[in-house]
Amino acid sequence: MSESPNVCVIGVGMSAFGRHPEESFEDFGKEAIEAALADAGLDYSAIEMACCGHAMQGITAGQRLLNRVGATGIPIINVENACATGSTAFHQAVMAVRAGVVDVALAVGFEKMQRGPLAADARLAAPSQAQRSAPMPEMFAEVFRAHSKKYGTTVEQMAMVSVKNHRNASHNPKAQYGIEVGVEDVIGSRMVADPLTLMMCCPTSSGAAAAIVARADFARTTPRKPVTIVASVLQSERAASDPLAFVTEINTRAASLAYQQAGLKPDDLDVIELHDCFAIAEIVHYENLGLCERGEGGKFVEQGLSAINGRVSVSSSGGLLAKGHPLGATGVAQIVEIVEQLRGESGPRQVRDAKIGLAHCQGFGGASCIHILAA
């Protein structure tokens, strides 16, 4: 491994993901921040900067949340990058510490969402999507059709992704849907965008997650063993004609840069949280992250290679499919899961001897953010 950047995660916390009809984003956002502060053994006065990820909560929502924790006059940056909002907020906090702007920074992601799919919006169309503005389920149904036609990926293999992630979520008390299901249950659930059924699509969710990052010398003064951030990468899209490019090229490029930055290769990874917004997305991301050859993602899940204590454990939290997907919170919640796995604190879903973890989020419209962490 190359020399690690001197930035560490020193505290993490999150709320449960779910509907939360009676709570505001300030309520569960404050819960997540206070949990991260307690985990780090810090008072809020130690935070020198806050990066707040949210996609739908309106202007200066970060200030509204943090005023509930303590108005200390620090810089507060509001971040929006579609589904990669939380991971981008975390990236910004890491960059601020790495650059020496501050010694300690908070990344918090939060969202309160309503039921139902995200509306079609032409602004989601990235360069490789041309004029497309279809709702997300139809976009990923098209991804499945293209991947299946080219590589033979099956509906049953998609269902296996959902089965695995729901099984993992059944051991995660913060997950929205902590229930075990079978392949028949997944395939037999309500059709959303043929052939994607309801259980192959992530739910809309509400919730929050927080992570505190600090210089390594400061981190060594805190009570918890720090987890080092060895790569932090954010990329946007390039124009392309391949119908799969919007979900392949950007993520493959971001992963390559992250591995270079960390001095690691895919075989070094023990645990991964990736952007499984739809079951087919997890299959394609196995390939994007270099876990298998292009076109082999369906076989990768079918052979149990992405199960907990398989070749590499993927979506141990339950992923977006079962843990839930509050847009602004997801990226930071992935960091929470990776940190807890590397500390050995994940209970029944603990990955054996986990030392290296990767978190990946894609924001449609053109953003891919990848972090690699080491115990």
Side-chain angles (χ1 to χ4, degrees):
M1 187 185 300
S2 62
E3 184 178 354
S4 299
N6 64 337
V7 185
C8 300
V9 182
I10 61 172
V12 293
M14 65 180 287
S15 72
F17 283 5
R19 294 297 173 197
H20 301 305
E22 305 302 322
E23 293 183 86
S24 67
F25 73 77
E26 293 97 335
D27 293 330
F28 44 75
K30 183 172 183 283
E31 176 188 347
I33 293 169
E34 290 180 342
L37 288 167
D39 189 49
L42 296 177
D43 184 79
Y44 182 65
S45 61
I47 303 298
E48 300 173 326
M49 175 183 180
C51 299
C52 304
H54 54 94
M56 301 175 173
Q57 307 310 302
I59 60 172
T60 63
Q63 283 86 337
R64 283 184 279 154
L65 167 57
L66 290 171
N67 284 343
R68 290 275 297 271
V69 182
T72 58
I74 61 171
I76 297 173
I77 300 172
N78 290 275
V79 178
E80 185 277 312
N81 223 358
C83 296
T85 290
S87 49
T88 303
F90 184 77
H91 173 75
Q92 291 296 101
V94 171
M95 292 300 100
V97 175
R98 184 179 288 177
V101 176
V102 296
D103 291 336
V104 184
L106 167 70
V108 58
F110 53 92
E111 210 76 66
K112 185 173 177 70
M113 301 179 71
Q114 304 303 316
R115 291 180 180 272
L118 298 180
D121 189 339
R123 290 172 296 180
L124 291 171
S128 66
Q129 296 170 255
Q131 301 301 314
R132 222 179 328 174
S133 59
M136 285 291 178
E138 180 52 42
M139 286 171 56
F140 278 88
E142 184 177 338
V143 169
F144 171 79
R145 289 188 287 268
H147 202 270
S148 180
K149 181 178 180 180
K150 192 169 185 178
Y151 302 116
T153 307
T154 68
V155 170
E156 288 75 17
Q157 288 168 337
M158 279 203 298
M160 291 172 191
V161 172
S162 185
V163 169
K164 170 183 68 69
N165 292 358
H166 279 82
R167 180 171 63 247
N168 295 347
S170 72
H171 299 296
N172 184 356
K174 300 295 178 67
Q176 185 166 347
Y177 293 117
I179 55 170
E180 293 201 47
V181 297
V183 168
E184 297 80 7
D185 298 316
V186 176
I187 294 175
S189 61
R190 177 170 59 84
M191 188 62 67
V192 174
D194 194 13
L196 301 184
T197 66
L198 186 65
M199 288 187 181
M200 297 175 187
C201 307
C202 73
T204 54
S205 314
S206 297
I212 300 169
V213 297
R215 287 174 51 87
D217 52 358
F218 183 94
R220 286 191 289 269
T221 70
T222 61
R224 305 304 303 272
K225 181 181 178 181
V227 172
T228 304
I229 302 152
V230 296
S232 182
V233 170
L234 177 63
Q235 293 284 287
S236 60
E237 235 192 38
R238 295 170 176 167
S241 57
D242 183 342
L244 287 173
F246 82 98
V247 75
T248 57
E249 192 279 334
I250 183 175
N251 295 300
T252 302
R253 174 163 36 92
S256 177
L257 291 170
Y259 293 136
Q260 290 175 34
Q261 194 176 113
L264 296 168
K265 56 187 185 300
D267 287 348
D268 295 317
L269 301 174
D270 299 307
V271 58
I272 297 172
E273 288 288 299
L274 53 68
H275 196 248
D276 60 316
C277 50
F278 298 89
I280 185 60
E282 178 161 316
I283 287 172
V284 176
H285 291 322
Y286 296 156
E287 303 163 11
N288 293 336
L289 297 175
L291 308 183
C292 60
E293 295 298 319
R294 184 66 65 190
E296 297 295 313
K299 294 178 183 176
F300 196 81
V301 66
E302 185 173 7
Q303 293 169 3
L305 300 178
S306 57
I308 289 178
N309 297 320
R311 182 184 296 174
V312 57
S313 301
V314 180
S315 302
S316 59
S317 68
L320 284 64
L321 285 172
K323 181 180 64 180
H325 184 28
L327 295 185
T330 287
V332 186
Q334 291 179 328
I335 298 296
V336 174
E337 177 69 13
I338 296 296
V339 168
E340 291 180 345
Q341 285 283 354
L342 298 185
R343 288 175 174 173
E345 298 174 349
S346 295
R349 67 183 192 283
Q350 179 63 47
V351 175
R352 188 169 49 248
D353 299 323
K355 297 292 188 291
I356 305 290
L358 181 149
H360 156 265
C361 248
Q362 180 175 8
F364 292 97
S368 180
C369 197
I370 293 180
H371 292 90
I372 301 178
L373 286 70

